[in-house]
Amino acid sequence: IREGGIEVLLLYAFYLQVADCTAASYFYFGIALRASLLVGLHVDIGKETLNRFELEHRRRLWWTVYMYERMLASKAGLPLSLTDEDISTELPSDFDMSQPAPGCENYIFPEAEFISNCVKITQINANILRKLYTRHPSSNILPVVHEMVVALLKWKKALPHDINCDYSQPELTISRLVVNMMTEYFQGINLAVR
């Protein structure tokens, strides 16, 4: 299994999601997740031997697989496939891309801020699923709900201005990427309080 095969699985899973084939999409996201685990994307295997471009590609591929598997699980009410404690891969980061290594000339990475914040909101939503949906608290759930809502609000407040959304503005002009991220934020609010 190579990174290209995982990317093809992701593309097919995205297609199935858009085609409203939720169960099949979840299945292929799950295969992509397991393939990623097999090649060690979740633990930065090869960190010492890969060049910076290859390492960043692997990290971004891992976090993309992770996010979409989690997002679909939360939207469809399906169980999470692994715990965050099993993951040690670092979040994507920005670096100087002006001198690519041979064979890496085609790697183009957008700023890491967006994907890092998407990962963070996805982790909060996964935590909500774990704490409120998979293990039903035997006592008062209000403190857990409060903790989860506070985590969501802190995440939103900490977002940098250029990827945050100010809903008090009369004219909203936001990118599709920010809309997708805010959809995940509101999904978390919905999961926490319903």
Side-chain angles (χ1 to χ4, degrees), residues 86-138:
D86 297 326
I87 301 166
S88 61
T89 295
E90 293 178 28
L91 287 172
S93 59
D94 295 318
F95 63 98
D96 180 16
M97 293 186 288
S98 62
Q99 300 293 323
C104 296
E105 298 85 5
N106 295 322
Y107 285 119
I108 300 171
F109 301 113
E111 290 183 24
E113 192 170 59
F114 175 76
I115 192 170
S116 295
N117 279 294
C118 282
V119 168
K120 290 173 188 172
I121 190 63
T122 304
Q123 288 173 326
I124 293 169
N125 288 354
N127 204 16
I128 292 168
L129 285 174
R130 263 194 312 281
K131 289 188 174 187
L132 293 175
Y133 291 87
T134 57
R135 292 182 308 181
H136 297 289
S138 58

Side-chain angles (χ1 to χ4, degrees), residues 35-92:
S36 299
L37 293 171
L38 285 172
V39 296
L41 296 183
H42 67 298
V43 292
D44 267 350
I45 284 181
K47 184 177 178 178
E48 299 78 24
T49 59
L50 296 172
N51 68 51
R52 186 66 184 94
F53 288 82
E54 294 165 329
L55 181 61
E56 188 66 18
H57 177 248
R58 288 174 58 91
R59 286 178 177 164
R60 288 176 187 238
L61 180 57
W62 164 255
W63 288 114
T64 301
V65 170
Y66 170 91
M67 283 188 301
Y68 283 99
E69 192 270 342
R70 292 283 205 242
M71 287 176 185
L72 192 58
S74 72
K75 286 173 180 55
L78 297 164
L80 302 174
S81 299
L82 78 157
T83 65
D84 287 346
E85 291 77 28
D86 297 326
I87 301 166
S88 61
T89 295
E90 293 178 28
L91 287 172

Side-chain angles (χ1 to χ4, degrees), residues 120-186:
K120 290 173 188 172
I121 190 63
T122 304
Q123 288 173 326
I124 293 169
N125 288 354
N127 204 16
I128 292 168
L129 285 174
R130 263 194 312 281
K131 289 188 174 187
L132 293 175
Y133 291 87
T134 57
R135 292 182 308 181
H136 297 289
S138 58
S139 59
N140 185 359
I141 66 166
L142 287 179
V144 177
V145 171
H146 179 265
E147 174 192 348
M148 297 296 96
V149 171
V150 166
L152 288 162
L153 294 174
K154 281 183 181 178
W155 172 85
K156 172 85 167 69
K157 187 174 183 178
L159 280 177
H161 178 70
D162 58 321
I163 61 171
N164 206 335
C165 187
D166 181 4
Y167 295 102
S168 66
Q169 299 297 318
E171 287 282 329
L172 283 180
T173 54
I174 55 176
S175 71
R176 183 178 177 91
L177 294 173
V178 173
V179 168
N180 289 341
M181 190 171 59
M182 288 298 126
T183 300
E184 210 41 42
Y185 168 71
F186 287 113

